[in-house]
């Protein structure tokens, strides 16, 4: 941790800041600069100690800035856990060396439509079936999902096809019901900082697929993962799904593919890319799916619908089953060059 004093800070103020540090039983290294003084804290402190010390120092009027030099997450960090994490679900491995494709409609709308989408997912060679039963919609008047009926459809179609299933859970009280019906719990972008939900999902012991909030910095994303991990649940998969765009008239979100190598460096958790929400436009999904593979992602989640024009949510970004199958073919051709199995 580095504490930068204000220009012209008095000797008393510098000593007072150093004393606050030393009172925690750690060394304070006073570093005089050209126009201001910095104080270094070389000792490694726990997350709680750092937060507490940062708050105490930030409150001092002659302190200009307190900077943490090490990352605030621990269980998610590669520094403390160098080996890659692999998440296994129904015989599917999610993690480095495997490119896992999750496909299916944005929402589960009916048994027939969902079964049709699932058959197309299976025939294409993708291994995980997605579909929302609880939909976080911007408008309360938009289709909200089939709720429990959607969960029942997910369970039946998962069993009938043998595909692993994933669906979003929006509230802590629904974690139990959702966990009984599907293999993977999805925490949506809007819920990334719903801490009671993260804790409950962590306690369920089920694999948790955590989507990055549209304006979440990497530290906040990994601290959200830390909430799940700290419940003793190591089965966490991260998902980049696009961040707030500069120009919404072209894309729904800006797919931040650069975050893939950043995450790979700083965390051992698998990283999936969602080019559907990441662009919002069906014809941009294929190029970004290929780019995700090249960037080092461990897989993708892609929305597909048998009849996108009549989809009850996100039709504009949904691939037709044929386009989904073509995407799978192209990815399979690319995989050997990137060194991943499909
Ligand atoms: C979804 O996967 O359908 C979804 C709502 O995604 P996100 O949380 O990324 O917006
Ligand atoms: Mn969607």
């Amino acid at each position: 941790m580095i504490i930068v004093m204000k220009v012209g800070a008095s000797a008393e103020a510098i000593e007072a800041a150093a004393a606050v540090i030393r009172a925690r039983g750690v060394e304070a290294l006073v570093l005089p600069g050209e126009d201001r003084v910095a104080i270094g804290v070389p000792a490694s402190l726990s997350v709680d100690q750092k937060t507490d010390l940062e708050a105490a120092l930030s409150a001092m009027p002659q302190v200009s800035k307190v900077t943490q030099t090490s990352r605030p997450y621990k269980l998610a960090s590669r520094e403390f856990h160098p080996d890659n994490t692999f998440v296994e679900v129904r015989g599917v491995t999610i993690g480095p060396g495997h490119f896992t494709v999750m496909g299916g409609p944005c929402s589960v709308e009916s048994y027939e439509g969902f079964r049709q989408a699932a058959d197309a997912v299976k025939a294409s060679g993708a291994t995980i079936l997605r579909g929302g039963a609880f939909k976080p919609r911007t408008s309360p008047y938009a289709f909200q999902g089939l709720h429990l009926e959607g969960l029942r459809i997910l369970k039946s179609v998962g069993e009938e096809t043998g595909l692993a299933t994933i669906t979003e859970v929006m509230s802590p009280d629904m974690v139990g019901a959702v966990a009984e019906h599907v293999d993977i719990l999805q925490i949506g972008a809007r819920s990334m900082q719903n801490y009671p939900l993260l804790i409950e999902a962590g306690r369920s012991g089920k694999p948790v697929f955590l989507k990055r909030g549209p304006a979440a910095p990497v530290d906040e994303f990994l601290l959200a993962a830390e909430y799940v991990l700290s419940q003793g649940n190591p089965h966490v998969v991260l998902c980049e799904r696009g961040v707030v765009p500069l120009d919404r008239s072209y894309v729904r979100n800006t797919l931040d593919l650069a975050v893939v190598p950043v995450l790979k460096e700083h965390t051992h958790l698998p990283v999936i890319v969602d080019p559907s929400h990441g662009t919002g436009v069906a014809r941009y999904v294929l190029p970004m799916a290929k780019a995700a593979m090249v960037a080092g992602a461990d897989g993708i989640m892609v929305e597909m619908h048998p009849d996108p024009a009549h989809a009850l949510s996100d039709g504009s970004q949904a691939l037709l089953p044929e386009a989904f199958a073509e995407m799978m073919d192209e990815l399979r051709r690319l995989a050997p060059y990137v060194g991943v199995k499909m």
Side-chain angles (χ1 to χ4, degrees):
M1 186 184 283
I2 306 267
I3 296 89
V4 179
M5 302 301 295
K6 286 190 176 154
V7 175
S10 67
E12 291 74 30
I14 296 165
E15 184 40 42
V20 163
I21 298 165
R22 290 193 201 105
R24 265 93 180 154
V26 293
E27 207 185 332
L29 221 57
V30 178
L31 312 158
E34 206 173 312
D35 53 5
R36 58 172 95 215
V37 167
I39 308 174
V41 183
S44 65
L45 299 164
S46 73
V47 173
D48 283 354
Q49 285 173 314
K50 274 188 217 164
T51 311
D52 171 58
L53 182 56
E54 181 173 353
L57 291 164
S58 303
M60 302 183 84
Q62 297 201 38
V63 167
S64 162
K65 204 163 77 180
V66 180
T67 309
Q68 305 263 9
T69 48
S70 60
R71 301 294 178 186
Y73 44 86
K74 193 171 159 84
L75 300 173
S77 140
R78 203 183 269 288
E79 254 182 310
F80 292 97
H81 185 303
D83 294 340
N84 290 314
T85 286
F86 292 87
V87 174
E88 309 275 343
V89 51
R90 272 221 228 182
V92 178
T93 302
I94 309 172
H98 309 259
F99 195 79
T100 303
V101 180
M102 310 181 178
C106 180
S107 304
V108 178
E109 300 171 1
S110 67
Y111 171 82
E112 293 73 23
F114 193 59
R115 178 63 204 259
Q116 213 181 324
D119 288 340
V121 166
K122 183 151 190 178
S124 76
T127 48
I128 300 181
L129 176 63
R130 68 148 286 148
F134 297 90
K135 296 307 301 177
R137 305 305 298 281
T138 306
S139 162
Y141 308 116
F143 177 60
Q144 303 286 311
L146 297 181
H147 295 185
L148 263 171
E149 176 58 14
L151 291 182
R152 287 190 203 105
I153 295 172
L154 271 152
K155 191 172 168 71
S156 320
V157 174
E159 283 167 1
E160 288 157 21
T161 56
L163 291 165
T165 52
I166 176 168
T167 201
E168 176 163 356
V169 55
M170 286 171 58
S171 59
D173 56 307
M174 289 308 290
V175 166
V178 173
E180 273 172 34
H181 291 81
V182 299
D183 301 304
I184 308 172
L185 305 179
Q186 174 170 328
I187 308 281
R190 294 158 189 79
S191 299
M192 190 203 84
Q193 285 174 313
N194 182 339
Y195 301 119
L197 175 61
L198 295 170
I199 290 170
E200 210 46 45
R203 287 187 183 152
S204 76
K206 283 259 176 179
V208 174
F209 184 82
L210 179 64
K211 292 189 119 183
R212 179 186 182 186
V218 171
D219 278 355
E220 289 179 23
F221 188 19
L222 292 179
L223 282 170
E226 192 84 6
Y227 265 88
V228 179
L229 297 167
S230 64
Q231 295 304 310
N233 185 347
H235 316 294
V236 177
V237 177
L238 302 172
C239 176
E240 161 57 31
R241 47 76 74 199
V243 292
V244 179
L246 291 177
D247 194 341
R248 219 162 225 153
S249 62
Y250 289 92
V251 285
R252 181 178 182 184
N253 289 293
T254 293
L255 190 60
D256 180 9
L257 283 180
V259 87
V260 175
V262 169
L263 291 170
K264 285 286 165 188
E265 179 176 340
H266 293 284
T267 179
H268 50 89
L269 298 171
V271 179
I272 300 288
V273 166
D274 171 353
S276 303
H277 296 87
T279 61
V281 182
R283 64 185 177 281
Y284 301 153
V285 169
L286 172 63
M288 297 319 280
K290 291 193 284 190
M293 181 186 271
V294 174
D298 302 309
I300 49 173
M301 171 181 264
V302 169
E303 289 188 347
M304 175 255 273
H305 194 284
D307 183 9
H310 295 99
L312 297 182
S313 61
D314 286 353
S316 62
Q317 68 195 32
L319 300 186
L320 279 161
E322 306 80 72
F324 189 86
E326 280 165 29
M327 175 191 77
M328 289 297 288
D329 287 341
E330 287 216 29
L331 290 170
R332 269 189 292 263
R333 277 200 290 278
L334 185 58
Y337 298 95
V338 181
V340 292
K341 276 189 267 178
M342 265 189 85

